[in-house]
Amino acid sequence: MTDPQANPLRQWQGSFGASYIERNRATADVTAEATAVFGRILDAAGVRRQIGSVLEVGANVGINLIGLRAALGEAVSLHALEPNAAACAALRTNADVRLAEVIEADASRIPAADGSFDLVFTNGVLIHIPPDALPQAMREIVRVSRRYVLCSEYFSHAPVEIPYRGESGLLWKRDFGKAYLETCPNLRVVQYGFIWQTEFPHFDNLNWWLFEKVA
């Protein structure tokens, strides 16, 4: 079991994060699912034509960004933020995603100006941020978004920690949509939905929310 006093971010930056990279390869099947998933989300929310730049927070090796490249086309400017150095190296050399920028950092302090990206999103990342650090991460994600924030995460009506690969202190479920609205009152819900693993076997069962920043 993981030491409960350990820093989860250090886990993801080290060998634990490297093992995650090995388990998540950007195969043709996986990236095709990502294209379908994110295309469906964008169309359900009616925002596909309004997004010219994207930042993924916790991009790993870029599976989601490859899907977004296919869904949004060559004109979109894609950016990745990732705390694991090996994943950053893989992102910089991945010809399939063609990133404008790879930022080696974490969500607690994003080195970008206010309103830098049309869309900022996470996919299965907020679940790995400790509850006491989650509000700061959410505020940073909203700060660097020009207009839209998307998250797709595990859902629970009440906040709960669950073991992750036999270790503690690494995964928490909650209603992340509600948490965003409580933490960042300048957001409004545009649309929300569910990613069903039965249809998309390389994705988990995830709830997603798309928010828009309002004055």
Side-chain angles (χ1 to χ4, degrees):
M1 300 292 284
T2 300
D3 180 352
Q5 301 303 314
N7 182 343
L9 179 59
R10 297 283 179 85
Q11 294 282 97
W12 291 106
Q13 290 172 323
S15 58
F16 189 88
S19 297
Y20 184 88
I21 295 170
E22 291 299 316
R23 295 194 304 272
N24 291 271
R25 297 290 187 174
T27 65
D29 287 346
V30 173
T31 56
E33 284 189 17
T35 301
V37 165
F38 287 101
R40 184 176 297 183
I41 290 172
L42 295 170
D43 288 341
V47 301
R48 187 190 287 255
R49 296 180 181 276
Q50 300 169 40
I51 295 172
S53 59
V54 177
L55 172 69
E56 181 176 12
V57 174
N60 194 246
V61 296
I63 291 169
N64 300 318
L65 290 168
I66 294 170
L68 275 167
R69 168 67 69 200
L72 291 172
E74 290 301 318
V76 66
S77 176
L78 298 180
H79 306 251
L81 184 138
E82 169 58 44
N84 184 282
C88 286
L91 286 165
R92 292 187 179 104
T93 58
N94 189 333
D96 292 326
V97 64
R98 299 176 295 287
L99 295 175
E101 181 182 27
V102 177
I103 306 167
E104 187 174 340
D106 67 275
S108 67
R109 189 173 289 106
I110 300 174
D114 296 358
S116 292
F117 312 98
D118 293 331
L119 170 69
V120 183
F121 80 99
T122 62
N123 181 69
V125 168
L126 299 183
I127 56 174
H128 297 302
I129 297 177
D132 60 351
L134 185 62
Q136 170 64 15
M138 287 181 161
R139 285 191 289 265
E140 276 291 275
I141 287 169
V142 172
R143 179 186 66 80
V144 300
S145 167
R146 182 177 300 117
R147 187 168 184 183
Y148 295 113
V149 170
L150 169 67
C151 75
S152 57
E153 308 285 343
Y154 293 154
F155 179 87
S156 173
H157 288 287
V160 60
E161 180 184 350
I162 62 174
Y164 181 68
R165 303 194 72 82
E167 301 192 6
S168 61
L170 288 173
L171 195 154
W172 297 264
K173 298 196 300 184
R174 66 175 60 232
D175 183 337
F176 287 96
K178 182 179 179 181
Y180 255 122
L181 293 176
E182 291 176 344
T183 303
C184 305
N186 61 327
L187 295 179
R188 73 170 186 93
V189 179
V190 176
Q191 190 56 273
Y192 54 90
F194 180 67
I195 301 170
W196 190 26
Q197 192 172 30
T198 298
E199 182 179 8
F200 300 108
H202 294 100
F203 280 73
D204 292 324
N205 289 319
L206 301 171
N207 285 74
W208 63 264
W209 299 261
L210 185 83
F211 303 97
E212 184 175 17
K213 293 175 72 171
V214 295

